[in-house]
Amino acid sequence: MTTSLFAGLKAAPADPILGVSEKFRADPRAEKVNLGVGAYLTEEGKTPILEVVQEAEEAIVAARIPHTYIPISGLAGYGELVQKMVFGAASEIVLSGRAATVQTLGGTGALKVGMDFMHHLCGLSVGATSKPTWGNHNAILVMAGYEVKGYRYYDAARDGIDFAAMMEDLKALPAKTLVILHACCHNPTGYDLTHDEWD
C-alpha cells in the first residue's frame, strides 16, 4: 500500500478577514454591517456588475476574439495604457522605455510576482509590512523566502496613522528591504496617507 503524497498536509488556518464575512452571513440580524472584505455592494448585499464592465464584456464578445494564450507579461496594449495612466503619457519614464509592466491575476498575484522577482533576481531577503496589514501579505513574503519585519502605521489611541513612527521605522530598516505600501484604502484600517505624506 502506497502512502499518499498529500497524507501529511494540514489545512491552513482560516483567514481572519474572510472569517468576518462568514460570521456576517451567519448573523440573522437585519441591522448587521459587513466589516469584512471591502467590495462594492448593492443595498441588498449583492456585488453589482459595473456598467463599464458590462460594456467591455459585450465589446469582447462582439469582437469574437479567440481565447488563446496571451504573452507571459500580459497584453501589450493594456500594459502601455497602464503605464500612461500611472506615470502620465508624457512622462520621461514612459517615453524613455524605462517603465516595465506585467499583467497579473489580481493584487495578490501582483504581489507574489513582484516579491519573487525582487528575491530571486535582485537578491532581496527582507520584507516589511505595515502594522497591521492583511495577514496574506506576510504569508506571501515568507513563502517567497523573506524575513518579515514590520513598520508602525496605525495608532489605535489616536485612531489614525502615526506618520512620524512610520517614517522612523522605515528609516531604520536595512538597506534593500522590500517595503509593502498600500496605495489606497489601507487594509485592514482604511486609513490612507495624505498627498503631502506620500511626497
Side-chain angles (χ1 to χ4, degrees), residues 6-88:
F6 305 110
L9 291 180
K10 296 179 183 169
D15 183 292
I17 293 173
L18 297 178
V20 170
S21 294
E22 290 171 15
K23 289 179 181 177
F24 170 81
R25 284 190 290 277
D27 189 332
R29 295 176 290 176
E31 67 276 5
K32 64 187 178 181
V33 176
N34 187 350
L35 300 177
V37 176
Y40 292 109
L41 301 174
T42 65
E43 290 295 324
E44 296 76 34
K46 306 288 183 196
T47 303
I49 298 176
L50 300 176
E51 286 181 30
V52 67
V53 172
Q54 187 169 344
E55 290 171 12
E57 289 174 341
E58 290 169 0
I60 290 169
V61 170
R64 301 187 54 81
I65 300 169
H67 298 340
T68 184
Y69 289 105
I70 63 173
I72 213 164
S73 59
L75 297 171
Y78 174 77
E80 291 169 12
L81 291 172
V82 167
Q83 288 179 9
K84 290 175 182 175
M85 180 186 73
V86 171
F87 298 109

Side-chain angles (χ1 to χ4, degrees), residues 142-166:
V142 169
M143 289 181 73
Y146 289 83
E147 172 191 351
V148 180
K149 296 186 178 287
Y151 59 87
R152 289 171 286 176
Y153 187 83
Y154 178 71
D155 180 358
R158 291 179 39 228
D159 192 26
I161 298 169
D162 188 341
F163 185 71
M166 174 184 161

Side-chain angles (χ1 to χ4, degrees), residues 126-187:
V126 177
T129 59
S130 63
K131 296 178 187 175
T133 193
W134 185 35
N136 198 28
H137 296 162
N138 291 335
I140 296 170
L141 279 167
V142 169
M143 289 181 73
Y146 289 83
E147 172 191 351
V148 180
K149 296 186 178 287
Y151 59 87
R152 289 171 286 176
Y153 187 83
Y154 178 71
D155 180 358
R158 291 179 39 228
D159 192 26
I161 298 169
D162 188 341
F163 185 71
M166 174 184 161
M167 293 305 297
E168 181 182 338
D169 289 351
L170 289 175
K171 288 175 183 176
L173 289 170
K176 296 187 177 180
T177 295
L178 179 69
V179 177
I180 307 300
L181 299 167
H182 301 228
C184 65
C185 195
H186 179 271
N187 190 350

